[in-house]
Amino acid sequence: MIKQAVIVAGGLGSRFGNRTKLMPKGFIEIDGVAMVERSVQKLIAAGIEEIIIGTGHCSEYYDELAEKYHVIKTVRNDNYMNTSSMGTLAVCVPYIKGDFILLESDLIYDAVGLKVLQNEERDNVILASGKSNSHDEVYLAADENFILTNVSKDKSIIPDPAGELVGITKISKNCLDKMMAYYNSDPALIKLDYEHALKQVSLDGEPVYVHKVEYYAWTEIDDESMLDRALTQIWPRIKENEELQSIRREVLLNPGPSTTTDSVKYAQVVADICPRELEFGNLMEEVATGLTEVCADPKDYISVMFGCSGTGADEAMVSSCVPPDGKLLVVDNGSYGARLAKIASVYNIDMDVFKSSTYEPIDIKALEEQMKSKKYTTFAIVYHETTTGLMNDLATICPMAKKYDMTTICDIVSAYGGMPIDLGKLGIDFATSTSNKHIGGMAGVGFVVCKRDELLKQKDWPMRNYYLNLYDQYKYFLETKQTRFTPPVQTFYALRQAIIETKVETVEKRYQRFTACWEILVKALDEIGLKMLVNRKYQSHFITAILIPETPKYSFNALHDYAKSFGFTIYPGKLGNIDTFRIANMGDIKPEEMTHFTCVLRDYMHSIGVC
Ligand SMILES: *Cc1c(COP(=O)(O)O)cnc(C)c1O
């Protein structure tokens, strides 16, 4: 897959007159969004991780856009007045690492064009369309093998074109080097446009293919009349196509799997591939690094991945990380802590359980007494108890475990990716999570983020497990770039996209979004008169356990079905004899959706006389 895109956006846009005197053309809005911003969104959705924008005229607009989208890097073509698109591409060259997609800045287009290029096997491919009747066509001539032979705006030179240039092209590094060599070969080429460099390179033996999509919906916008045509003829087609492709939205308010974006859903639709191919090995390696970066420094930590749910990752960690003669201390203050203890007992691991309230903070002093009482090798705890929404204070607890020389193994499943976490700072050696919670992927990949030094200690330990053996999985992948057993192939593609989208949003901003949703929920609960199980001081912003109202008219099923009819899925929660229902903030949820949900909740509670 191609990971980089370059947008050449140096131009003056002089054909627009006053409108683009103080603003680059790409910032002309279509349906309320600047052309170039919409292009950036489409590139991200198509799996592009880095967008280099070559700027010039009014470059500050692009610098501002780069602040909003962290994937953007701007490079200014200081000589934009005297050069053209090739001059702007030239300033971007030092940042181009491999194959990339080159785009013009003044385009509106159907995102399917990016998919066409992402699916291309051939190295250099120009996306072309049938007749656009735009009155500003760039015609492409090609031979019988669809290899580009000429480019011209003059129809008499290319009477029977192979297609029209769209302005979206897949280019290999090799081709780029040749384009640059040509551009630099003669000072008279200073005002060269990139398509002419492509033509030259193609004629010189580096084939550039023309891939025509006959009825492709796109247009370049160079002047007022083109803008008018774009708004009345092209944009409605693009919009309709996109609406046809959008998938019915269900907002999952259950504690995972979480709501995913359409781009994550579509990322699973890829060519079949044997997971033992190097290409897939590279993808898994990239995903592993991306997963590590979310919560730790990849210099010291490494992610080991399995095809399994989050509990599979917990089982891999617990059954792999306690030394053969070790002793484990587990904190149990909710179902997930209890699950860690259960796993240890199934593997006959020598263990003590420190029990604590499911809705009140851990008594730190008592825990320290317990740590001191025996020689434990390993300490296990859950960061965020998804049963109740209770956060455990790992910043205090984990360093304490270090003080008593324990290896710390943490289930951070429902905190990972939802809030800033630094395993190194917290002193956590192993941490588990899954592809389908805050990170926003599909269910199917469980992983353990491991401190490398600690993982290497397991090298000669007798295996207590097989499929889930952490060291074996790590070593095999290190040596072969393969997992020992069949991985969930398509889930990995979705996870790769989810990681990109996490980086684009940033974990800090994601936490702010969840916090905004949580505040909307808590305020509504106060107004309705519903009580929460955990004091808001100790609550995460990810899960809220709500005590059911004390009326016999309440029925979880009725509430569930009512919410479901509006596209919201909620989840029950029973803690001993305390009955709750739970609302999660996870994945691609938006504050306005939470507001809508609170209205639905209020309506239901009103109907049973609670408010
Ligand atoms: C979701 C979750 C898990 C894993 O659950 P699975 O259903 O196995 O994916 C583990 N621990 C915590 C704290 C969780 O929230």
Side-chain angles (χ1 to χ4, degrees), residues 445-481:
V445 178
F447 52 93
V448 188
V449 188
C450 311
K451 190 166 190 188
R452 205 180 270 101
D453 298 347
E454 290 293 323
L455 179 61
L456 293 177
K457 289 183 186 165
Q458 297 174 13
K459 185 166 168 285
D460 297 319
W461 295 359
M463 281 164 84
R464 199 185 267 127
N465 47 17
Y466 180 59
Y467 181 89
L468 293 174
N469 192 269
L470 206 54
Y471 183 79
D472 235 30
Q473 185 82 344
Y474 156 76
K475 183 164 162 274
Y476 193 84
F477 190 78
L478 192 72
E479 288 167 0
T480 63
K481 280 208 193 181

Side-chain angles (χ1 to χ4, degrees), residues 192-422:
L192 189 73
D193 277 318
Y194 74 90
E195 60 267 29
H196 294 279
L198 279 170
K199 171 193 120 183
Q200 198 56 45
V201 165
S202 187
L203 289 174
D204 289 346
E206 168 83 27
V208 176
Y209 293 90
V210 175
H211 185 138
K212 179 166 152 188
V213 179
E214 185 66 47
Y215 299 107
Y216 187 53
W218 73 281
T219 187
E220 185 186 9
I221 301 176
D222 268 335
D223 57 31
E224 293 295 341
S225 81
M226 285 172 106
L227 177 59
D228 189 51
R229 177 175 160 273
L231 290 173
T232 56
Q233 296 174 32
I234 311 292
W235 175 241
R237 274 179 66 202
I238 295 175
K239 209 165 147 178
E240 187 182 0
N241 247 354
E242 281 168 4
E243 276 163 12
L244 283 172
Q245 285 178 45
S246 75
I247 299 168
R248 179 168 54 86
R249 190 164 168 84
E250 290 286 337
V251 179
L252 301 184
L253 299 173
N254 47 289
S258 60
T259 308
T260 56
T261 60
D262 278 5
S263 37
V264 165
K265 293 182 188 82
Y266 275 118
Q268 299 174 102
V269 185
V270 286
D272 289 317
I273 187 168
C274 170
R276 305 218 179 269
E277 289 294 314
L278 180 61
E279 183 188 334
F280 192 74
N282 288 337
L283 175 119
M284 283 194 289
E285 189 172 56
E286 192 187 315
V287 166
T289 308
L291 290 174
T292 307
E293 281 167 350
V294 168
C295 66
D297 185 342
K299 278 206 297 291
D300 304 325
Y301 286 82
I302 185 155
S303 291
V304 181
M305 309 177 293
F306 297 88
C308 65
S309 83
T311 304
D314 280 339
E315 184 160 343
M317 177 173 75
V318 171
S319 59
S320 301
C321 297
V322 183
D325 51 355
K327 192 170 172 76
L328 175 69
L329 177 63
V330 185
V331 173
D332 168 3
N333 61 345
S335 309
Y336 291 96
R339 189 177 294 181
L340 296 178
K342 176 73 188 172
I343 292 168
S345 75
V346 167
Y347 284 90
N348 289 317
I349 291 168
D350 188 12
M351 157 186 67
D352 286 336
V353 177
F354 179 86
K355 268 200 167 284
S356 173
S357 159
T358 53
Y359 51 89
E360 278 176 344
I362 293 169
D363 180 342
I364 300 286
K365 272 213 186 100
L367 178 60
E368 182 158 13
E369 284 306 313
Q370 179 77 43
M371 286 178 171
K372 260 197 246 177
S373 71
K374 294 202 185 75
K375 182 73 192 135
Y376 296 106
T377 53
T378 320
F379 175 70
I381 190 166
V382 172
Y383 200 168
H384 170 232
E385 255 303 344
T386 322
T387 349
T388 54
L390 181 68
M391 285 300 289
N392 287 329
D393 179 12
L394 295 200
T396 307
I397 295 169
C398 289
M400 213 162 78
K402 280 279 141 218
K403 191 169 124 193
Y404 297 101
D405 215 18
M406 292 187 242
T407 299
T408 49
I409 65 176
C410 299
D411 170 331
I412 63 166
V413 176
S414 61
Y416 174 91
M419 59 187 275
I421 296 175
D422 184 340

